[in-house]
């Protein structure tokens, strides 16, 4: 698909070690022709960068933010506290607590500060959800997500049980 001008999703993560998972969000967005800006923004190691990113995201032309983090996963919630751009959190699997630490850290936001949360390591779903948000006002993105659904429907229908 050709590039969809002016639509931009920021894919941020707490560490470069999260990229193997977060790349799945970037890939589906790129496939749809959306501009992806990927970066490491750590709530704990680079708090000043967290603030400047969050406060400037709208003026930088970002429409949706996908934020992945593991363990004490404060990144998505803190970003959502500093911008009204929709934030989708991706809990990243950590070995010690099987990803439940990441999931619960992201999903239990206080009233008035929503973060949409996908499953543990489900970055591709975060990318597709971002596309569904963009599809509200962009017909070419709607066509793309409709095609994705059709492809998986046909794939499922083609399975058989012996
Ligand atoms: C979190 O700590 C990151 O999002 C990552 O999931 C986890 C481990 O980070 P590294 O120690 O690999 O940099 O902040």
């Amino acid at each position: 698909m050709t590039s969809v001008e002016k639509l931009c999703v920021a894919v941020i993560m707490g560490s470069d070690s999260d990229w193997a998972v977060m790349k799945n969000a970037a890939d589906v967005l790129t496939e749809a022709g959306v501009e992806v800006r990927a970066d490491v923004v750590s709530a704990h190691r680079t708090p000043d960068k967290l603030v400047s990113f969050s406060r400037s995201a709208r003026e930088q032309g970002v429409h949706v933010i996908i934020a992945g983090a593991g363990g004490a996963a404060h990144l998505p919630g803190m970003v959502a506290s500093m911008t009204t751009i929709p934030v989708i959190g991706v809990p990243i699997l950590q070995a010690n607590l099987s990803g439940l630490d990441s999931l619960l850290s992201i999903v239990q936001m206080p009233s008035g500060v929503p973060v949409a949360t996908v499953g543990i390591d489900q970055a591709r779903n975060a990318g597709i959800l971002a596309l569904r948000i963009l599809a509200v006002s962009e017909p070419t993105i709607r066509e793309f997500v409709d095609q994705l659904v059709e492809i998986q429907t046909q794939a499922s229908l083609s399975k058989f049980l012996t």
Side-chain angles (χ1 to χ4, degrees), residues 121-140:
D121 278 357
Q122 295 292 325
R124 179 175 160 83
N125 260 1
I128 294 171
L129 180 54
L131 289 173
R132 288 185 176 205
I133 293 168
L134 297 174
V136 170
S137 58
E138 177 53 57
T140 60

Side-chain angles (χ1 to χ4, degrees), residues 84-158:
T84 55
I85 296 171
V87 177
I88 305 169
V90 182
I92 303 290
L93 177 68
Q94 301 288 292
N96 289 343
L97 295 171
S98 306
L100 275 179
D101 46 352
S102 320
L103 174 64
L104 297 177
S105 294
I106 294 174
V107 79
Q108 287 288 34
M109 287 299 291
S111 176
V113 191
V115 169
T117 310
V118 297
I120 297 165
D121 278 357
Q122 295 292 325
R124 179 175 160 83
N125 260 1
I128 294 171
L129 180 54
L131 289 173
R132 288 185 176 205
I133 293 168
L134 297 174
V136 170
S137 58
E138 177 53 57
T140 60
I141 302 294
R142 194 170 69 238
E143 280 169 31
F144 181 88
V145 293
D146 285 348
Q147 278 172 13
L148 280 185
V149 169
E150 182 58 22
I151 289 166
Q152 71 191 10
T153 299
Q154 293 308 323
S156 183
L157 289 172
S158 71

